[in-house]
């Protein structure tokens, strides 16, 4: 029996005969030689099919092999300095598992709508493949970061009775005799869990009925959300900074090849080391003023504002103390300046926008009740949340990192739609 291997492990078989199973990525040939670029999900390798080494039928079949046909190629692994990965496969047998029909995605340029309609196939392309490998690395790194510091993973529900991030972006759904909402954030549940476990995090899909068509908004996105009892804003920021440094470090260590495929400027990522700059909302407004931006003091920053502000810095930037009026109901106010929230947004460098939002939570029962009323939120649905302030209330803080925003930044992709396997936006529910 000839051993079978993945392309990533091909070096272990140098000089030996192996079988590789995969798909035709590309094919060229001249005369008696065919070069099949084979990909198997772990890598690509060039299979060289020489007419003298295989039967006539096999050679003829290979000559007519359409792109994305599936194969098992058996041959000898030969070192070749010119080959991608350093090896090629000198084929002596080719089994065609399935001959593909006309594959719609060809090496020529395609429009983005066409590629998005064919997202289920586009995932096979080198850049898309690289982005999703980096995405996986970011997820692994974030989880390693929290797991290694004894945070407990607590899964938040998807169906919820409450609005966490305002009522304008709620997806409502029928839930037997009542209504439920798709969760906008696991935060409220993490607050309850932090009082039971101390340090917790959740990682799951979150939903917002974003009616805007921007490069940064999805209707379904994934968030990693830690929450810690007895933490204040400063400790929360330290945690966010450590996590981001750790994630970028892990990608640099384990996904170099993918960053190269994406032509990412690695020096910019290598620069992401602590400490990150920390400025006040008021400082950020000053930067906008100096840049001549048309900005009304007291407003939240829009994407173009964030870009102008972040251009002044080469590392992720933490902006704190926004006007409480533009932030969510649960934010604790600064006792020194009660119109300011003890909140933080982390803005990625190079114009990739807000990747993290978080802060210290209001821990006083009466203040929170008043806040809910001001925001016209139904007290009834929040009784359980208010209980957290009735039974051993403590200062606590946390944050949420939007996974796709982080992937877009680290991969250097200008549009968020390429950072999730099957994106959901106002205009896209397919495939
Ligand atoms: O700033 P946000 O709204 O904060 C929260 O949801 C908090 N409850 C999190 C917490 O403290 N536990 O969202 C957090 C992050 C943003 O910084 C952004 O990166 C991302 O989630 N995000 C989106 N990503 C893609 N599409 C959208 N529509 C997003 N909305 C927010
Ligand atoms: Mg935010």
């Amino acid at each position: 029996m000839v051993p079978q291997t993945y392309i990533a492990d091909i070096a272990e078989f140098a000089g030996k005969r192996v079988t590789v199973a995969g798909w035709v990525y590309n094919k060229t040939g001249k005369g008696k030689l065919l070069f099949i670029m084979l990909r198997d999900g772990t890598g690509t390798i060039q299979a060289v099919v020489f007419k003298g080494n295989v039967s006539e039928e096999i050679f003829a079949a290979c000559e007519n092999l359409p792109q994305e046909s599936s194969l098992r190629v058996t041959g000898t692994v030969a070192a070749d300095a010119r080959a991608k990965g350093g090896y090629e496969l000198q084929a002596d047998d080719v089994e065609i598992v399935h001959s593909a029909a006309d594959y719609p995605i060809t090496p020529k340029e395609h429009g983005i709508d066409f590629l998005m309609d064919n997202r289920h196939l586009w995932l096979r392309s080198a850049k898309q493949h690289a982005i999703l490998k980096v995405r996986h690395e970011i997820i692994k790194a974030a989880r390693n970061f929290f797991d290694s510091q004894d945070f407990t993973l607590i899964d938040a529900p998807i169906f919820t009775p409450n609005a966490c991030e305002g009522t304008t972006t709620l997806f409502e759904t029928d839930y037997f005799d009542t209504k439920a909402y798709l969760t906008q954030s696991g935060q409220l549940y993490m607050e309850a869990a932090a009082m039971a476990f101390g340090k917790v995090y959740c990682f799951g899909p979150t939903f917002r009925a974003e009616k805007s068509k921007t490069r940064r908004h999805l209707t379904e996105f994934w968030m990693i959300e830690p929450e810690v009892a007895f933490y204040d804003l400063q400790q929360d920021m330290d945690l966010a900074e450590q996590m981001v440094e750790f994630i970028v470090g892990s990608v640099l260590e384990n996904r170099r090849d993918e960053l190269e495929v994406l032509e990412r400027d690695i020096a910019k990522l290598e620069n992401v080391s602590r400490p990150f700059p920390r400025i006040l909302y008021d400082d950020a407004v000053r930067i906008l003023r100096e840049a001549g931006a048309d900005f009304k003091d007291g407003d939240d920053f829009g994407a173009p504002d964030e870009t102008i502000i972040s251009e002044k810095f080469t590392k992720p930037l933490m902006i704190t103390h926004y006007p409480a009026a533009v932030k969510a109901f649960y934010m604790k106010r600064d006792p020194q300046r009660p119109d300011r929230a003890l909140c933080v947004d982390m803005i990625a460098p190079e114009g990739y926008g807000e990747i993290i939002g978080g802060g210290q939570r209001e821990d006083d029962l009466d203040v929170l009740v008043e806040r809910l009323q001001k925001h016209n939120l139904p007290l009834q649905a929040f009784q359980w949340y208010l209980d957290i302030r009735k039974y051993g209330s403590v200062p606590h803080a946390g944050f949420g990192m939007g996974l796709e925003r982080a992937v877009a930044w680290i991969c250097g992709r200008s549009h968020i739609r390429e950072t999730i396997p099957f994106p959901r936006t106002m205009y896209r529910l397919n495939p």
Side-chain angles (χ1 to χ4, degrees):
M1 257 298 271
V2 185
Q4 183 163 332
T5 183
Y6 286 108
I7 294 168
D9 304 325
I10 204 81
E12 293 167 29
F13 294 88
K16 301 205 178 89
R17 209 170 158 244
V18 287
T19 299
V20 176
W23 295 262
V24 177
Y25 197 61
N26 211 340
K27 197 189 74 198
T28 54
K30 43 181 179 193
K32 294 177 177 173
L33 272 177
L34 286 176
F35 302 100
I36 299 172
M37 194 51 85
L38 197 67
R39 61 160 195 92
D40 73 347
T42 74
T44 55
I45 192 166
Q46 176 165 275
V48 183
V49 189
F50 177 59
K51 202 165 185 175
N53 288 348
V54 295
S55 73
E56 255 172 50
E57 295 135 271
I58 288 178
F59 192 81
C62 287
E63 270 187 309
N64 296 312
L65 213 48
Q67 187 188 348
E68 288 303 319
S69 295
S70 42
L71 314 172
R72 286 195 190 89
V73 181
T74 301
T76 304
V77 178
D80 182 345
R82 290 162 304 169
K84 198 171 161 246
Y87 295 93
E88 62 175 28
L89 190 60
Q90 292 166 347
D92 56 57
D93 194 14
V94 179
E95 180 197 340
I96 297 172
V97 179
H98 180 246
S99 183
D102 284 343
Y103 189 66
I105 304 177
T106 56
K108 73 164 197 195
E109 288 277 313
H110 295 285
I112 188 67
D113 278 338
F114 176 84
L115 290 169
M116 274 296 160
D117 287 342
N118 286 286
R119 183 67 176 164
H120 52 295
L121 302 175
W122 195 24
L123 298 179
R124 304 180 188 196
S125 300
K127 286 205 166 132
Q128 300 308 311
H129 188 269
I131 295 167
L132 295 184
K133 293 294 272 191
V134 173
R135 177 185 167 104
H136 179 205
E137 189 67 39
I138 293 173
I139 296 169
K140 259 200 293 194
R143 296 199 43 171
N144 282 343
F145 176 80
F146 290 117
D147 292 347
S148 68
Q149 297 191 38
D150 288 327
F151 280 67
T152 301
L153 174 71
I154 299 288
D155 302 309
I158 304 291
F159 285 132
T160 70
N162 320 86
C164 179
E165 296 299 325
T167 49
T168 56
T169 62
L170 277 177
F171 275 115
E172 190 181 279
T173 169
D174 287 333
Y175 196 77
F176 305 104
D177 300 334
T178 177
K179 298 281 182 205
Y181 307 106
L182 298 186
T183 186
Q184 297 169 303
S185 159
Q187 178 194 321
L188 307 187
Y189 297 96
M190 292 306 101
E191 290 185 55
M195 303 307 143
F197 297 87
K199 300 187 279 186
V200 298
Y201 73 100
C202 63
F203 173 58
T206 50
F207 305 86
R208 307 230 180 141
E210 304 278 5
K211 291 190 190 74
S212 55
K213 192 181 179 182
T214 77
R215 294 185 292 121
R216 293 182 185 168
H217 289 92
L218 295 164
T219 52
E220 179 178 304
F221 63 100
W222 288 65
M223 233 203 292
I224 187 125
E225 297 181 87
E227 191 74 29
V228 187
F230 296 103
Y231 256 31
D232 62 14
L233 175 63
Q234 296 307 317
Q235 292 168 299
D236 196 37
M237 290 163 72
D238 293 344
L239 185 71
E241 189 182 57
Q242 284 165 22
M243 182 196 74
V244 169
E245 184 189 66
F246 184 82
I247 289 173
V248 172
S250 298
V251 173
L252 282 169
E253 195 173 321
N254 302 317
R255 293 289 156 214
R256 284 257 162 187
D257 292 352
E258 283 76 7
L259 293 175
E260 216 161 274
V261 167
L262 296 167
E263 297 166 51
R264 184 67 171 101
D265 184 345
I266 289 185
K268 294 238 164 72
L269 295 179
E270 282 170 340
N271 185 43
V272 180
S273 57
R274 288 179 289 152
F276 298 171
R278 301 175 178 202
I279 65 171
L280 300 171
Y281 170 89
D282 292 344
D283 301 324
V285 171
R286 220 164 290 132
I287 292 172
L288 288 174
R289 289 261 170 282
E290 282 161 15
D294 176 26
F295 179 80
K296 195 165 128 260
D297 201 353
D299 277 0
D300 203 354
F301 301 128
D305 305 317
E306 286 173 356
T307 301
I308 295 171
I309 300 161
S310 69
E311 270 166 1
K312 290 258 175 263
F313 303 87
T314 56
K315 293 184 187 187
L317 168 69
M318 291 194 270
I319 308 178
T320 64
H321 299 81
Y322 284 65
V326 301
K327 289 290 180 185
F329 75 93
Y330 53 72
M331 301 262 183
K332 190 172 177 64
R333 309 272 172 118
D334 182 354
Q336 261 83 58
R337 285 180 80 185
D339 64 328
R340 299 300 159 128
L342 292 176
C343 66
V344 58
D345 276 7
M346 191 188 289
I347 315 294
E350 305 171 70
Y352 290 97
E354 179 196 331
I355 50 172
I356 286 178
Q360 199 172 327
R361 322 304 189 186
E362 181 52 66
D363 47 33
D364 182 274
L365 178 64
D366 296 333
V367 176
L368 197 53
V369 169
E370 193 193 310
R371 224 38 82 53
L372 284 164
Q373 285 164 337
K374 281 236 167 75
H375 280 81
N376 283 320
L377 290 163
L379 276 185
Q380 188 51 39
F382 284 90
Q383 284 307 322
W384 70 270
Y385 183 66
L386 293 171
D387 274 355
I388 301 167
R389 279 74 179 169
K390 278 188 206 158
Y391 305 108
S393 188
V394 300
H396 60 288
F399 63 82
M401 182 184 78
L403 175 65
E404 291 76 15
R405 299 271 186 94
V407 176
W409 162 47
I410 292 172
C411 289
R413 307 309 285 178
S414 61
H415 205 297
I416 200 166
R417 66 191 156 207
E418 292 179 37
T419 62
I420 183 165
F422 296 98
R424 296 288 174 256
T425 64
M426 189 179 180
Y427 300 96
R428 184 162 295 279
L429 193 55
N430 273 308

